[in-house]
Every structure is written in C-alpha cells, then in structure tokens.
Amino acid sequence: MTTALDLTAVKARQQVTWASGDYGAVAALIHPIAELLVTAADLSAGARVLDVATGTGNAAIAAARCGCAVTGVDYVPELLERGHARASAERLPVTFVAGDAERLAYVDGAFDAVLSVVGVMFAPNQERAAAELVRVCRTGGTVALASWTPQGFIGELFRTVGRHVPPPAGLRPPVEWGDEDRVRELLGEAVGDLRAVRREFVFRFGTPEEFALFFRANYGPTLKAFEALPEERRAELHADLVELARRHNRATDGTVRIPAEYLEVVARRTAGPV
C-alpha cells in the first residue's frame, strides 16, 4: 500500500532547512535575477506588489526601488529579519510578513503584481501555490516568476545531492517550475499573454573546491544533506559537488564561471477562474 505524502511534515522540514546555513549569502549572489525579473514585469510606481517566498527580499527590494508599495511574505522568520534589515539600510519601505505561499492571507485581487524569485518553486503543493499566486493578483495584473530549470546547473545540483540523500518519495521536483509547459499548466487559464524566456545567471568562484565549500556551508538544502549523511559518506558528496563545478565550469583563466539556467515568466491575470 502506498503511503500518502505528508506535505505538512515536508513543509516543516523545509522551514528548518531554509533557516539553516546562511541563505542570505546565496541570495546576495543571485540578486541580479530579481532585478531582471522586476524590469521584465515593467512595474509602475505606486503599484501594490507581493513578493512570495521572498527569502531575504531580493525581488521585494528591487520592486521597492521602482516606487512600488511592496509586501514580502515568507515562512522563515530568520530570512524575513534579514530582508527587513536590508530594506531599512536602503531606506526602502518594504513590509515583511510571515506567511505560507500555499495559504496567502490576502483577499482576491489584492495586488497589482505578484512576484517570486526561486522561491515559490519550493512549495510542496505546486498546484495550490500556483492558484494562490493567481488568486491574489487583480484582473489585468502581472504574475512574474524566476525558477531554476530542470536541465540547468541547479537542476543537476539537486539531482547530485538527491543521489546521496533522496527527496521525499512522491514530492514533485521544484525545478518543474522551470519548465514552460509545466508553468502554463500550473497557472492555467487564469493567466494569459504568458511570456517565458530562458536566462542564465553565472556563479563565480575562485576554484571548484570553493564552490563546494560555499554551498555546503550556506545553502540550506546542501547543508542539511551533509548533516543527514554519516561522516564517512560526506566526503563522497563533497567530491561530487567539486566534480559538478568542474564539469560546468566555462572559465579559461583558472577560476570558475558556472552558467545556471533559469526560466523567467511574465503573465497577465485574466478574468477567468483560478
């Protein structure tokens, strides 16, 4: 008999995972993804914007620089505190709120634009999270997402880690959000004029070893994978991460440049049902 996947338990483990390490250090590297997404969304000053699974606020802060009225929501308090500190340092009026991407505490059509940068893709219940993104966006408003692709570097990073510490059986891979057909399926008929563009973010490190150490120390999913392994097997995962960086390295000057593909999606909320 197949046991049903307990998504509540999965979510609880995810909260602990993202609170571990220093995701802020990772977010600082990939901030340009948020800036590009906000540019693609073409936000207007004064627009009501929600950044879902905001983390440390990359997209929220980018939208606030456009003069928008921004709220960032996330289920990890430690990340929200970091986001608040960042916005305060730049004197940007961003409201950070604890909340669940699958149960957004806002009325239908509350926002002119709903964003998420490599955030909502990790919600265990993909269909419910997608429905919530669309529900809280007003008719004619914008839904804009950036998600790692299955065939890109981060997709392979997840598969590499998964060979050592398999994800929960039955859980759909987060990188499905980086597949255009799957995103169209998730957002459904409630959006139209959906434009999807494949982009690359380049990770830059001094050496493959430096990359492996950085992700081992700072990126929650990788850190927790190491913690889950017995001591004698951790060296194997570390070696696989070093080899992964070597294979994807495009630098010719002795350093590391790793292109990581992601899917940028911008769609308009239609008047159709969620």
Side-chain angles (χ1 to χ4, degrees), residues 11-192:
K11 193 178 299 181
R13 289 194 295 271
Q14 285 182 335
Q15 287 178 288
V16 173
T17 295
W18 293 113
S20 66
D22 183 3
Y23 183 72
V26 180
L29 293 184
I30 64 173
H31 188 87
I33 297 176
E35 296 287 351
L36 286 172
L37 183 70
V38 166
T39 298
D42 195 21
L43 305 175
S44 298
R48 300 162 301 164
V49 176
L50 179 67
D51 179 20
V52 179
T54 187
T56 57
N58 278 358
I61 289 170
R65 290 198 190 104
C66 297
C68 299
V70 185
T71 300
V73 60
D74 202 284
Y75 64 2
V76 182
E78 293 87 347
L79 300 183
L80 292 171
E81 291 173 10
R82 184 77 164 264
H84 178 73
R86 292 178 63 204
S88 297
E90 296 192 37
R91 298 184 179 179
L92 293 171
V94 179
T95 300
F96 288 96
V97 178
D100 185 345
E102 296 174 7
R103 297 179 184 274
L104 295 172
Y106 304 100
V107 300
D108 297 359
F111 296 93
D112 300 301
V114 180
L115 317 176
S116 189
V117 174
V118 297
V120 74
M121 64 181 288
F122 292 99
N125 190 329
Q126 295 185 356
E127 286 76 12
R128 187 179 183 93
E132 284 291 270
L133 295 178
V134 175
R135 181 185 66 79
V136 300
C137 184
R138 68 167 174 82
T139 298
T142 301
V143 176
L145 310 170
S147 308
W148 302 118
T149 64
Q151 62 270 37
F153 174 72
I154 298 298
E156 187 168 352
L157 171 68
F158 291 153
R159 289 190 293 274
T160 298
V161 173
R163 287 195 294 271
H164 293 266
V165 182
L171 188 67
R172 299 193 71 147
V175 289
E176 286 190 356
W177 285 80
D179 179 88
E180 181 177 346
D181 289 340
R182 175 60 173 158
V183 171
R184 289 183 182 276
E185 178 185 357
L186 285 168
L187 298 180
E189 297 179 359
V191 302

